[in-house]
Amino acid sequence: GKTKEKVLIIYTSMWGYTEKVVRLIESELIKQGVHTAVHNLAYADVGEVAKDLADSKALILATPTVIGFAHPLAMQVTYLAKLLKPPTKYASLIVLYAWGTNADRQLSDALKELGAEILDVIKINVTPTEDDIKKVKELVNKVLQKIKE
């Protein structure tokens, strides 16, 4: 299928930290005039997520960890993407964790199966620091550069 200059941001958030990072990304993309679709997996319609997977050039998946692993809703959406085989060309991952995490490896492996180029994996220990925010903004710039190619 044909993709648009569109970024799909899929996330789940337990304490609000992941959502704050997602809102920063969304804001930065919108400032640059990029079409974005944002879905909170806690209440997203699977059909709407699937529709946006079908035409988004880039995917950003953001999730907290649950007992050191990816949130189950994040794993569920990677399974959906694997079934749909969307034409998404680029993917990035943001993992927020408290004590340690295998979620980055777990989700990176799942995203690689899509055939998308992984642009970045950012790990944030609970609350984003200034350095984390800088990394997130650098990710946005990478995504912008790639979707405009």
Side-chain angles (χ1 to χ4, degrees):
K2 185 139 172 66
T3 57
K4 299 177 181 176
E5 281 188 8
K6 175 178 166 184
V7 178
L8 172 59
I9 306 168
I10 304 174
Y11 76 100
T12 188
S13 188
M14 294 190 324
W15 304 105
Y17 302 117
T18 307
E19 185 163 20
K20 285 181 183 175
V21 172
V22 165
R23 294 299 166 208
L24 170 66
I25 294 167
E26 179 185 28
S27 169
E28 292 292 316
L29 289 168
I30 288 171
K31 275 190 229 174
Q32 297 298 321
V34 174
H35 180 195
T36 60
V38 181
H39 294 284
N40 179 340
L41 293 171
Y43 53 83
D45 178 282
V46 175
E48 292 297 313
V49 173
K51 182 179 75 166
D52 285 324
L53 272 168
D55 67 358
S56 295
K57 194 174 255 188
L59 164 67
I60 298 173
L61 177 59
T63 182
T65 58
V66 177
I67 316 171
F69 293 93
H71 192 287
L73 292 174
M75 289 306 299
Q76 181 182 13
V77 81
T78 61
Y79 182 72
L80 174 67
K82 185 177 171 180
L83 290 174
L84 295 175
K85 296 180 175 62
T88 304
K89 297 185 182 333
Y90 309 102
S92 299
L93 178 61
I94 299 171
V95 175
L96 285 84
Y97 68 97
W99 297 284
T101 180
N102 290 313
D104 56 319
R105 187 170 53 246
Q106 188 182 22
L107 290 168
S108 289
D109 289 347
L111 290 175
K112 282 177 191 168
E113 290 183 36
L114 298 179
E117 177 185 341
I118 307 292
L119 297 180
D120 211 345
V121 176
I122 299 173
K123 292 167 67 171
I124 298 173
N125 191 333
V126 187
T127 56
T129 63
E130 287 301 317
D131 190 47
D132 293 328
I133 290 168
K134 182 180 172 200
K135 288 177 187 173
V136 168
K137 288 182 177 182
E138 288 169 358
L139 166 64
V140 169
N141 287 332
K142 281 183 200 174
V143 170
L144 285 167
Q145 183 179 15
K146 288 292 189 175
I147 66 170
K148 302 276 184 192
E149 288 180 350

